[in-house]
Amino acid sequence: MAQRVINFNPGPSALPLAVLEQAKSEMLDFQGTGMSLLETSHRSKPFEAVLDSAIQRTRRLLGLDESYQVLFIQGGASMQFAMVPMNLAEGKPVDYVNTGTWATKAIKEARICGNETRVVATSEDAQFTYIPEKIDFNADAAYLHITSNNTIRGTQWRNFPDAGAVPLVCDMSSDIFSRRFDPRPFGLIYAGAQKNAGPAGVTMVIIREDLLKRVPKELPTMFKYTTYSDNRSLYNTPPCFSIYICELVLKWIEETVGGLDRMEKINEEKAALLYNYIDSQDFYRGTARPDSRSRMNVTFLLPEAELEKEFLATAVEAGLVGLKGHRSVGGLRASIYNATTIESVKTLVDFMKQFAKR
Amino acid sequence: MAQRVINFNPGPSALPLAVLEQAKSEMLDFQGTGMSLLETSHRSKPFEAVLDSAIQRTRRLLGLDESYQVLFIQGGASMQFAMVPMNLAEGKPVDYVNTGTWATKAIKEARICGNETRVVATSEDAQFTYIPEKIDFNADAAYLHITSNNTIRGTQWRNFPDAGAVPLVCDMSSDIFSRRFDPRPFGLIYAGAQKNAGPAGVTMVIIREDLLKRVPKELPTMFKYTTYSDNRSLYNTPPCFSIYICELVLKWIEETVGGLDRMEKINEEKAALLYNYIDSQDFYRGTARPDSRSRMNVTFLLPEAELEKEFLATAVEAGLVGLKGHRSVGGLRASIYNATTIESVKTLVDFMKQFAKR
């Protein structure tokens, strides 16, 4: 019997135990095919059923209407930082809100791709510890790019900005499927799967059909969104096993958790447990501005940085792993994505209480 | 107990049973970490050990000296069709040998990328059923691109061409790790893993350091080989699980099979079993010119195309799957990559004999 730890990794991160158990049970024989999904042709009926199910579950969970396509692309969100401006800019200026490291990287790639790239709001003045309210919208922008959740500084958009007719483009890598939102203002949503949707190695791209019309004909085939939309993500061999795990995760959200509203309630409860405890005492100190706090990544400090190593080592002894802050900012971080249970968060709070007493 | 079939899929394709069994046994607890490899941070020691081992095993198996780097990139060989000219052309003409569908696609992407693209040899005159001998080399080419094995028509380079000082660039997706070769004429080798090296979702790129100097600075970050070489393939989250399965496959070649020379002998034996049988009778007919036959993909026809459906259905009943030819050419194809055992090929030959009798 495997000794499982409680995994607060920021990504790749915890997966639902039921998903891993199913993947394990099917490893030598996927659904009676006599072979592993790892050995299954991407052009076979069993794999196409997995792919279709992942698409349909995404549609149902997010409430996407017919105008959206769900694509599976390789290369991570970092690849999308370049594909978005290459495909969607149409020679117009592109607008970005800078809320931290990942947004900064997206801005850098838009500039490399040769577009006039405007930062229309930023929280750089306070080390990205909040989500800016005031955004200098431009009606002439090809799109407005935001990062819905910022894993490193632990901030998250509570309400998405209204950019009028300008489509929102959103890096939703770290909070997709964690809460209900209105998809209609979004022209494109992308998400590396390895936090809430599945394992590393596949990126979900949700694109509205009017944006597909912008894709330039002369791009290399694999960099065009239309290559994926015209071929149901099967132009070439997709990352089959990663898509399979995504399908199992989405099935778990729909059938075991009970849907996105229930998932959101659980996530609210988990975050409240941690933030309420942090706010109730003086030993730990949250680093994000309270109105901008992320429900996915809870960032906090100890009274002295020297205590961090001891905290982390003691936590590992107690079976709590992945609590180190990002190497660029230090401190501590509990990533509590969908697969983290309420019980795991309670265990963490209890541990934090005990550590504070010592 | 899983009922396993004999899998002749062209890719994704059969994996060694021992690899699947290890992946299964570690699915909930990777090497005592208390979490699945699917949940493990790409910046953790356990994953870095997997990555390092995959690189070192590749170096040892292929006999690569210090001047080569081994990279893991997403997007499949199709992504490399564009990355190769984007990174390596230096504004010079690029030369390609056209040996079939995949080479044709590589040529198309080089043209999209704006390079003067010369087809210096082709076997299109005979439906790509052979490997051209006469190649019109150009000393001014940035590189000469070849496709070492052609899965669709079942042809394979027996000896690689000598292009002098012009580096060879090779799509080795379907026969890497199947045989010994001298790596020194190769400036770059790429291989989608899903045939001989692992599962879908990761592409190995082996690049010689002098070619890294050609990479233009202004490319988007994820399209530059230097992004991967400067960051040990960890600039962003790599496809961790796919790399893990590659490592297990390479370990199997080294430790269970006994190295690349032994692997090559087994592959020769397997191919000989099939081709010798095909040549010994009149019912089945091989489609590739004998001197160009692939040891990985054995393509053949029945006396009448109408018999194909019956052959395939009867084969599936006998537990032999994946024998249908590529949708673009029809006919039959047995893909006998590294993980296919001699016993499996003997079973296929026995089946073919029985079917021919009926």
Side-chain angles (χ1 to χ4, degrees):
Chain A
M1 178 57 200
Q3 274 290 348
R4 299 264 301 163
V5 294
I6 301 181
N7 182 350
F8 295 102
N9 273 337
S13 50
L15 287 167
L17 184 58
V19 166
L20 296 173
E21 283 172 341
Q22 183 163 349
K24 178 176 179 168
S25 75
E26 296 179 334
M27 183 54 79
L28 301 189
D29 180 15
F30 174 68
Q31 297 185 357
T33 58
M35 62 179 78
S36 176
L37 198 281
L38 289 163
E39 305 171 298
T40 301
S41 169
H42 57 296
R43 305 215 182 270
S44 67
K45 286 207 176 84
F47 178 73
E48 293 221 8
V50 168
L51 178 64
D52 283 343
S53 177
I55 292 168
Q56 295 311 323
R57 290 188 189 281
T58 300
R59 289 191 169 286
R60 285 195 299 267
L61 281 165
L62 300 183
L64 302 174
D65 67 29
E66 294 282 295
S67 66
Y68 288 93
Q69 290 217 28
V70 179
L71 314 177
F72 292 89
I73 302 183
Q74 295 184 61
S78 295
M79 183 73 85
Q80 295 308 307
F81 296 163
M83 278 182 72
V84 163
M86 285 166 77
N87 280 271
L88 306 183
E90 292 192 303
K92 294 184 199 165
V94 293
D95 286 358
Y96 283 74
V97 179
N98 192 354
T99 51
T101 301
W102 304 111
T104 303
K105 290 195 178 207
I107 292 162
K108 180 187 159 203
E109 298 303 317
R111 290 198 168 124
I112 290 173
C113 291
N115 301 287
E116 185 188 336
T117 305
R118 301 178 298 209
V119 178
V120 294
T122 177
S123 49
E124 202 171 0
D125 59 314
Q127 287 89 44
F128 299 117
T129 52
Y130 69 96
I131 299 292
E133 289 101 56
K134 203 189 152 298
I135 298 173
D136 296 322
F137 292 112
N138 295 291
D140 68 338
Y143 57 79
L144 172 65
H145 181 285
I146 60 171
T147 312
S148 57
N149 181 72
N150 302 280
T151 52
I152 294 177
R153 295 291 179 172
T155 65
Q156 187 176 26
W157 291 80
R158 191 66 55 227
N159 301 296
F160 293 116
D162 176 3
V166 173
L168 288 178
V169 170
C170 186
D171 177 358
M172 225 177 259
S173 293
S174 52
D175 66 355
I176 194 168
F177 300 119
S178 75
R179 58 171 166 174
R180 175 76 56 205
F181 65 93
D182 178 3
R184 288 170 299 175
F186 293 88
L188 187 146
I189 293 166
Y190 61 93
Q194 66 267 20
K195 287 113 167 32
N196 271 328
V202 65
T203 307
M204 297 186 68
V205 173
I206 295 159
I207 187 166
R208 214 171 55 200
E209 286 187 9
D210 56 314
L211 272 76
L212 284 170
K213 294 188 188 121
R214 299 186 183 185
V215 176
K217 284 200 174 55
E218 67 275 13
L219 285 180
T221 306
M222 289 296 287
F223 305 156
K224 293 162 79 168
Y225 288 126
T226 43
T227 297
Y228 302 85
S229 62
D230 291 347
N231 296 283
R232 290 179 44 253
S233 303
L234 290 170
Y235 170 76
N236 73 332
T237 314
C240 302
F241 193 81
S242 295
I243 294 171
Y244 158 65
I245 298 292
C246 286
E247 198 279 330
L248 293 180
V249 168
L250 299 175
K251 181 181 167 202
W252 172 82
I253 298 173
E254 280 200 298
E255 298 179 8
T256 305
V257 175
L260 205 57
D261 294 316
R262 181 77 195 120
M263 191 80 256
E264 180 170 9
K265 281 220 158 36
I266 295 169
N267 284 327
E268 280 173 7
E269 190 177 340
K270 280 150 51 183
L273 274 168
L274 263 168
Y275 286 122
N276 289 346
Y277 169 63
I278 287 172
D279 290 341
S280 73
Q281 49 77 59
D282 296 324
F283 187 76
Y284 303 101
R285 190 160 41 89
T287 55
R289 205 173 74 183
D291 67 353
S292 301
R293 281 170 167 174
S294 167
R295 288 183 183 138
M296 297 282 103
N297 311 92
V298 178
T299 50
F300 57 98
L301 300 173
L302 295 175
E304 294 158 44
E306 296 87 72
L307 281 170
E308 279 170 20
K309 272 193 181 167
E310 194 187 334
F311 179 94
L312 291 168
T314 317
V316 167
E317 278 170 31
L320 308 173
V321 307
L323 291 163
K324 195 173 178 179
H326 190 267
R327 60 207 156 106
S328 64
V329 299
L332 300 165
R333 170 175 55 177
S335 296
I336 51 173
Y337 302 118
N338 285 352
T340 303
T341 63
I342 292 176
E343 289 64 40
S344 294
V345 175
K346 284 182 181 164
T347 304
L348 173 60
V349 171
D350 287 344
F351 171 81
M352 288 169 72
K353 285 180 185 170
Q354 281 172 27
F355 186 83
K357 269 193 207 157
R358 291 173 24 163
Chain B
M1 181 55 199
Q3 274 290 346
R4 300 264 302 163
V5 295
I6 301 181
N7 182 351
F8 295 103
N9 273 338
S13 51
L15 287 166
L17 185 58
V19 166
L20 296 173
E21 283 172 341
Q22 182 163 349
K24 178 176 180 171
S25 75
E26 296 179 334
M27 183 54 79
L28 302 188
D29 180 13
F30 174 68
Q31 297 185 357
T33 58
M35 63 179 77
S36 176
L37 199 281
L38 289 163
E39 305 172 298
T40 301
S41 171
H42 57 297
R43 307 220 179 267
S44 66
K45 288 208 176 83
F47 177 72
E48 294 220 8
V50 167
L51 179 63
D52 283 343
S53 176
I55 293 168
Q56 295 311 322
R57 290 188 188 282
T58 300
R59 289 191 169 287
R60 284 196 299 269
L61 282 164
L62 300 184
L64 302 175
D65 69 29
E66 295 282 295
S67 67
Y68 289 93
Q69 289 217 28
V70 179
L71 313 177
F72 292 90
I73 302 184
Q74 295 184 62
S78 295
M79 182 73 86
Q80 295 309 308
F81 296 163
M83 277 182 71
V84 162
M86 286 166 75
N87 279 270
L88 305 183
E90 291 190 305
K92 295 183 198 165
V94 294
D95 286 359
Y96 283 73
V97 179
N98 192 355
T99 50
T101 302
W102 304 110
T104 302
K105 290 193 178 210
I107 291 163
K108 180 186 158 203
E109 297 302 317
R111 292 198 166 126
I112 290 174
C113 292
N115 300 286
E116 186 190 334
T117 306
R118 300 179 297 209
V119 177
V120 294
T122 177
S123 49
E124 201 171 0
D125 60 312
Q127 288 88 44
F128 300 116
T129 52
Y130 69 96
I131 299 291
E133 290 99 60
K134 200 188 153 302
I135 298 174
D136 296 322
F137 292 111
N138 294 291
D140 67 340
Y143 57 80
L144 171 66
H145 182 284
I146 60 172
T147 311
S148 58
N149 181 72
N150 302 280
T151 53
I152 294 177
R153 295 292 179 173
T155 65
Q156 186 176 26
W157 291 81
R158 191 67 54 228
N159 300 297
F160 292 117
D162 177 2
V166 173
L168 288 178
V169 169
C170 185
D171 177 357
M172 225 177 258
S173 294
S174 52
D175 67 355
I176 194 167
F177 300 120
S178 75
R179 57 172 166 174
R180 176 78 52 207
F181 65 93
D182 178 2
R184 289 171 298 176
F186 293 89
L188 188 145
I189 294 165
Y190 61 93
Q194 67 268 17
K195 285 113 168 38
N196 271 328
V202 66
T203 307
M204 298 186 68
V205 173
I206 296 158
I207 186 165
R208 213 171 56 200
E209 286 186 9
D210 56 312
L211 273 75
L212 284 169
K213 294 188 189 122
R214 300 185 183 186
V215 177
K217 283 198 174 55
E218 66 275 14
L219 284 181
T221 306
M222 290 295 288
F223 305 155
K224 293 162 78 168
Y225 288 125
T226 44
T227 297
Y228 301 85
S229 62
D230 291 348
N231 297 282
R232 291 179 42 254
S233 303
L234 290 169
Y235 170 76
N236 72 334
T237 314
C240 301
F241 193 82
S242 295
I243 295 170
Y244 157 66
I245 299 292
C246 286
E247 197 279 329
L248 292 180
V249 169
L250 299 176
K251 181 181 167 201
W252 172 82
I253 298 173
E254 278 201 299
E255 298 179 8
T256 304
V257 174
L260 205 58
D261 294 318
R262 181 76 194 118
M263 190 81 256
E264 181 170 8
K265 281 219 159 37
I266 295 169
N267 285 328
E268 280 172 7
E269 191 176 339
K270 280 148 52 181
L273 274 169
L274 262 168
Y275 287 122
N276 289 345
Y277 170 63
I278 287 171
D279 290 342
S280 72
Q281 49 76 60
D282 297 323
F283 188 76
Y284 303 100
R285 189 160 43 89
T287 55
R289 205 173 74 184
D291 67 354
S292 301
R293 281 171 167 175
S294 167
R295 289 182 182 139
M296 298 282 104
N297 311 92
V298 179
T299 49
F300 56 98
L301 299 172
L302 296 176
E304 294 158 45
E306 296 88 72
L307 281 170
E308 280 170 20
K309 271 193 181 167
E310 193 187 334
F311 180 94
L312 291 169
T314 317
V316 167
E317 275 169 35
L320 308 173
V321 305
L323 290 164
K324 195 174 178 178
H326 190 268
R327 60 208 156 102
S328 64
V329 299
L332 300 166
R333 170 175 56 176
S335 296
I336 51 172
Y337 302 118
N338 285 353
T340 303
T341 63
I342 293 176
E343 289 65 39
S344 294
V345 175
K346 285 182 181 163
T347 304
L348 172 60
V349 172
D350 287 344
F351 170 82
M352 288 169 72
K353 285 179 186 169
Q354 281 173 26
F355 186 84
K357 269 192 208 157
R358 290 174 25 163

